[in-house]
Amino acid sequence: MAFASSGGGPMADINVTPLVDVMLVLLIIFMVTAPILSYPIEVNLPQRSLNQPPQTKTPPPPIRLRIDASGTIFWNDSPVDIRVLQQQMNNEVAKDPTNQPLLEIDVNPDADYGILAKVLARAKNADMQKIGFVQPQ
């Protein structure tokens, strides 16, 4: 910035030489460090195979598991005891472990949470992979 004064008084200018020196030093630092920071990363990409794609299986019909307010458990609309539930889940998984049915759990909002926790523990012990919850309407 220049301040002009009338008459021949002192004129103030910014000295840009130190600014240019600092900028050149920064430019040299970035030019030296930039090649060091870039190094190749080896990535193993999947290769195209000539084999046929895997055949997809149609999923079995879902299992509807309902827990009502009294704590009764229904397996596809038929009441089942919680002690038998583990065996039924094991049987479903044993049919085809790679193509399991979806376990749709419908819980009454007034049902005891402990019953739901026991059902989920039994599903985990049976190694059921597909578990979903039905939203109340």
Side-chain angles (χ1 to χ4, degrees):
M1 287 184 133
F3 295 101
S5 63
S6 61
M11 189 168 179
D13 286 334
I14 295 178
N15 190 358
V16 293
T17 306
L19 178 65
V20 171
D21 289 344
V22 170
M23 293 304 290
L24 286 175
V25 169
L26 287 175
L27 178 66
I28 291 171
I29 289 172
F30 285 128
M31 287 174 54
V32 169
T33 58
I36 296 171
L37 295 178
S38 63
Y39 52 89
I41 298 174
E42 189 172 325
V43 178
N44 294 327
L45 297 175
Q47 300 298 319
R48 189 176 137 200
S49 66
L50 299 176
N51 299 337
Q52 296 294 330
Q55 299 297 324
T56 57
K57 299 178 185 177
T58 58
I63 300 168
R64 293 181 314 278
L65 191 91
R66 184 170 50 93
I67 304 173
D68 65 0
S70 65
T72 308
I73 301 171
F74 294 91
W75 180 278
N76 288 335
D77 297 327
S78 61
V80 66
D81 191 22
I82 195 161
R83 294 179 293 249
V84 181
L85 188 63
Q86 180 74 47
Q87 185 60 36
Q88 284 184 310
M89 289 180 179
N90 286 337
N91 291 342
E92 287 295 326
V93 171
K95 287 179 183 176
D96 188 1
T98 60
N99 192 19
Q100 296 180 8
L102 172 67
L103 180 65
E104 293 179 347
I105 301 176
D106 184 13
V107 183
N108 188 311
D110 298 328
D112 185 20
Y113 178 73
I115 302 291
L116 176 62
K118 289 177 184 178
V119 167
L120 290 174
R122 282 169 172 72
K124 183 177 187 250
N125 290 339
D127 199 28
M128 294 197 84
Q129 301 294 322
K130 300 176 184 175
I131 301 173
F133 289 94
V134 177
Q135 290 184 340
Q137 299 197 10

